[in-house]
Amino acid sequence: MERTDFILHTDRVPILNDRGVQIDEVALPEKITPVPRRRCGVSEGHTYYKGAGIIYQGHYANECDRHVLRLSENPVAYQRYTVIYPELYQQYGIFTFPHQPIFSDYEGGCGKKEENLPVMQKKFERSAIQEIVDMLETPIKGHRIYAFRLKELQGSYKDTILLITYILSENFNSAWDKNLWADIMCYGYVRDLADWFVSDQSAHKLGTIYALLHSIMKADKCLYEEIVHETVGLEQMGISICPMLLPGL
């Protein structure tokens, strides 16, 4: 048996309830392979389909019903627990419960808040997305699948500094507690723009830069050190720099 025999290739996205019963499905124009830990799949032609299901490994909740297993308690008031439906573990599809209790997006799907993606794609020059090629409707109200292609990019820590400069000067912002670095491609290009917005308020700018620097420091301390040294001239290995020290804040 080949290793590829264990890899899922499909042009059907099942829609399942919290008991694992399939209640509907979405037909795709081509076969995709799910991207691990993301609600996205990619075709052989390198088209990505965001919202085309996920290989389920758990979600967040504020209350635990008798069917879920509590994995951990989180220090975040709006998603208190990491939980899992054990019978759904490693199943693939869109599931009819939210991934996070504060958002309506179903697990593996893209709901109302993702409608911002095409808008921000046109505005944001340092997007990692080359183009959105299609938006596919699903049987779930308010949910779509976004098909897009990524740019061919290369980069270094200098691109991260250019990204910081760009988002400060053009007033682009994201959530303060988001793992922003997970959405950055080739050091300085944003792959997921759905949660971004325009604001010139200092609180939003501070939160965005904090989120970016904090997530960089957790992922790559050497990269973080290079950015800090280049921008403010300090040697701060492993110590989070105050965003207010950066030019533009």
Side-chain angles (χ1 to χ4, degrees):
M1 185 174 290
E2 299 292 333
R3 181 183 63 87
T4 52
D5 293 337
F6 296 95
I7 299 175
L8 177 64
H9 304 283
T10 181
D11 61 359
R12 294 288 189 273
V13 184
I15 300 172
L16 305 104
N17 65 17
D18 60 6
R19 303 269 59 83
V21 177
Q22 182 171 335
I23 58 176
D24 215 324
E25 69 175 18
V26 185
L28 301 177
E30 57 184 333
K31 287 189 175 183
I32 62 169
T33 301
V35 176
R37 296 177 297 280
R38 289 186 174 270
R39 51 178 171 170
C40 186
V42 61
S43 71
E44 287 190 1
H46 301 288
T47 298
Y48 289 81
Y49 289 81
K50 185 179 182 185
I54 194 170
I55 297 177
Y56 175 74
Q57 294 182 318
H59 65 286
Y60 298 103
N62 286 328
E63 297 179 358
C64 300
D65 65 38
R66 62 187 180 88
H67 298 292
V68 302
L69 177 66
R70 187 193 301 179
L71 300 179
S72 65
E73 187 168 350
N74 305 316
V76 182
Y78 55 77
Q79 49 187 44
R80 293 177 59 194
Y81 307 111
T82 301
V83 301
I84 191 169
Y85 288 108
E87 64 271 29
L88 301 186
Y89 181 65
Q90 294 290 75
Q91 287 199 50
Y92 165 72
I94 300 172
F95 301 86
T96 57
F97 52 85
H99 179 69
Q100 296 170 279
I102 58 169
F103 295 124
S104 61
D105 302 53
Y106 280 168
E107 176 75 18
C110 285
K112 294 289 290 183
K113 73 181 183 67
E114 298 297 318
E115 292 178 0
N116 192 39
L117 178 60
V119 177
M120 288 301 297
Q121 168 65 17
K122 294 178 181 178
K123 293 182 178 180
F124 199 89
E125 292 179 6
R126 296 190 67 86
S127 171
I129 297 175
Q130 179 68 43
E131 62 175 334
I132 297 173
V133 298
D134 203 356
M135 291 184 286
L136 307 174
E137 299 295 334
T138 77
I140 306 169
K141 183 179 180 180
H143 283 64
R144 289 175 174 168
I145 295 171
Y146 297 87
F148 60 87
R149 293 182 179 274
L150 293 174
K151 297 174 181 175
E152 294 185 8
L153 298 166
Q154 292 182 329
S156 71
Y157 77 94
K158 292 182 182 293
D159 291 282
T160 312
I161 296 171
L162 289 174
L163 173 64
I164 292 171
T165 302
Y166 176 71
I167 61 180
L168 287 174
S169 63
E170 299 299 322
N171 298 323
F172 288 111
N173 302 274
S174 191
W176 69 268
D177 58 348
K178 186 176 174 64
N179 179 14
L180 285 185
W181 192 243
D183 291 332
I184 305 299
M185 182 177 171
C186 295
Y187 294 92
Y189 299 86
V190 181
R191 179 170 43 210
D192 187 355
L193 289 164
D195 295 332
W196 287 73
F197 59 96
V198 177
S199 171
D200 61 1
Q201 293 186 33
S202 296
H204 294 150
K205 290 173 175 284
L206 177 64
T208 301
I209 299 303
Y210 168 80
L212 180 58
L213 290 177
H214 183 68
S215 58
I216 290 173
M217 186 182 68
K218 291 179 68 175
D220 189 335
K221 287 184 172 61
C222 290
L223 173 62
Y224 172 82
E225 172 68 10
E226 286 183 301
I227 293 168
V228 170
H229 181 73
E230 182 80 12
T231 54
V232 294
L234 298 178
E235 304 292 339
Q236 292 250 331
M237 181 67 79
I239 302 173
S240 182
I241 189 73
C242 175
M244 294 301 288
L245 294 175
L246 292 171
L249 277 177

